[in-house]
Amino acid sequence: MIPIEITTANEGIRLDALIASYYPHLSRATIKRFIDQGNILRSDGKKCTKGDKISLLYTYMLTKEPVEQTLQPNPDIPLHILYEDEALLAINKPAAINCQPNKIDETDTLANALLNYCSPLEGVGDSPLTCGILHRIDFDTSGLILVAKNQSIYNQLREQFAAHTVEKHYAALVTGRITTPTKLEHYLAHNPRCPGRMVDASQWHDVKRPMYAATAYEPRWQRQLQNHPVSLLDVTIFTGVTHQIRAQLSLAGYPIVGDKQYGGLQIEGFPRHFLHAASAQFIHPLTQRSMTLQAPLQKDLTKLLSKIK
């Protein structure tokens, strides 16, 4: 057990802030994880939580020294690099891979592949799991991912994302005949009875943290697939809510083809939903000029499109 020295100057501050002052090299995520694992005990036997306020009535002990955990590089995951310069990378992510791990010991994500390609990405971002990735798309969504090569670039680009000035376009194939451009606006929330699914918060009385979501789409064409009308949409998102495009299009009555979670038309031999992050427009943090990067459709998407009449 390792005692934590407490002074009158520490009284009343949060426990995570105190640990950060003693271990300034540790990330916030590592400190949070260390505390959440029950590694700090109070003299009355209580396991501390990160928001606990320090009190001189107690002494505090660490069960062990906290150490920064790092991702493991994975050389077996190929990267389709669309663009690279001294500031950033652009990747065309395939389907069936997560952008980042949920736990530090996972090795089969895009972040692990990025770390193998460019080791300085370690530690770039807002957690040890970020590896410079500026935004995420779903496991079965393919397409453009932007990656910052250092913390300064990461911070500058994240400010653009937070201000909703990064213009992101997606290609989505949906069930239904759509001929008119439309903007969708909902307050979405996590389904309290079905984890991993988003719902219209206005239709539920017991949801937590409703989040405003705004999505616009323009139809590109309308055709037939397995005797069902389908439309290819150019989708623009103005916010970044979980499953935003999938949930809002489903709520509008146009679920994405292949999307099992949101009622999409299922196609034999096509095991995922037809949603692809096609492009992003932003201000390059070094040149301060507008830049647009595009990701071509993955082969499984073009193959499906070739079957549509």
Side-chain angles (χ1 to χ4, degrees), residues 31 87 90 196 209 219 234:
I31 292 172
R209 244 176 20 93
D234 177 5

Side-chain angles (χ1 to χ4, degrees), residues 9-307:
N10 302 136
E11 188 169 23
I13 71 171
R14 284 169 54 114
L15 177 64
D16 53 357
L18 178 70
I19 298 302
S21 70
Y22 280 106
Y23 299 94
H25 63 287
L26 296 181
S27 66
R28 286 177 296 173
T30 293
I31 292 172
K32 178 182 182 300
R33 189 182 305 110
F34 182 78
I35 298 173
D36 289 347
Q37 290 172 346
N39 291 312
I40 304 181
L41 304 177
R42 214 166 63 177
S43 54
D44 62 354
K46 176 189 173 184
K47 289 185 177 180
C48 297
T49 63
K50 67 172 185 174
D52 285 352
K53 301 292 181 64
I54 297 299
S55 171
L56 294 176
L57 296 176
Y58 306 103
T59 58
Y60 298 82
M61 305 288 289
L62 305 181
T63 61
K64 59 183 179 181
E65 286 274 7
V67 295
E68 189 71 79
Q69 293 180 292
T70 59
L71 288 181
Q72 296 300 310
N74 189 336
D76 298 325
I77 300 175
L79 288 175
H80 181 181
I81 298 173
L82 299 166
Y83 175 84
E84 182 176 8
D85 63 20
E86 60 186 306
L88 57 88
L89 276 163
I91 306 296
N92 193 351
K93 183 187 91 68
I97 183 172
N98 282 319
C99 288
Q100 299 170 203
N102 294 312
K103 297 184 293 185
I104 203 76
D105 57 354
E106 291 181 40
T107 61
D108 57 352
T109 74
L110 181 64
N112 301 103
L114 284 166
L115 188 59
N116 176 73
Y117 175 75
C118 181
S119 60
L121 289 174
E122 183 174 4
V124 176
D126 52 12
S127 88
L129 306 178
T130 302
C131 205
I133 294 174
L134 287 152
H135 58 113
R136 288 178 287 180
I137 55 180
D138 295 336
F139 177 78
D140 269 337
T141 300
S142 57
L144 184 68
I145 292 290
L146 298 177
V147 181
K149 284 190 167 182
N150 62 58
Q151 192 63 41
S152 175
I153 297 298
Y154 181 89
N155 293 341
Q156 291 178 64
L157 286 170
R158 279 305 306 167
E159 287 179 2
Q160 294 186 46
F161 277 95
H164 306 301
T165 58
V166 179
E167 186 175 308
K168 293 179 287 183
H169 288 261
Y170 291 73
L173 185 68
V174 302
T175 305
R177 182 175 175 82
I178 303 176
T179 59
T180 306
T182 301
K183 184 175 182 179
L184 304 172
E185 296 180 275
H186 297 90
Y187 277 87
L188 300 177
H190 292 277
N191 189 330
R193 296 175 182 79
C194 183
R197 182 183 170 90
M198 303 299 286
V199 295
D200 183 348
S202 67
Q203 305 299 314
W204 294 68
H205 70 278
D206 56 347
V207 297
K208 298 179 181 178
R209 244 176 20 93
M211 294 165 282
Y212 173 72
T215 299
Y217 60 77
E218 291 188 21
R220 292 297 179 228
W221 48 249
Q222 305 80 39
R223 296 177 187 170
Q224 292 284 322
L225 175 62
Q226 292 185 352
N227 296 319
H228 293 273
V230 293
S231 300
L232 184 67
L233 305 180
D234 177 5
V235 180
T236 305
I237 60 173
F238 304 97
T239 52
V241 177
T242 300
H243 293 183
Q244 173 176 323
I245 298 173
R246 299 164 60 194
Q248 288 193 285
L249 286 173
S250 179
L251 287 168
Y254 306 116
I256 294 175
V257 169
D259 194 341
K260 295 179 181 178
Q261 269 188 306
Y262 293 95
L265 175 67
Q266 298 302 297
I267 306 298
E268 185 177 355
F270 186 74
R272 60 119 159 180
H273 52 248
F274 194 118
L275 183 61
H276 180 81
S279 69
Q281 182 177 356
F282 56 95
I283 302 300
H284 194 286
L286 296 184
T287 67
Q288 295 302 306
R289 294 179 179 176
S290 179
M291 182 176 197
T292 300
L293 293 173
Q294 297 179 320
L297 292 178
Q298 301 280 346
K299 291 182 179 179
D300 61 335
L301 303 182
T302 57
K303 182 179 179 180
L304 180 63
L305 290 181
S306 69
K307 299 178 180 179

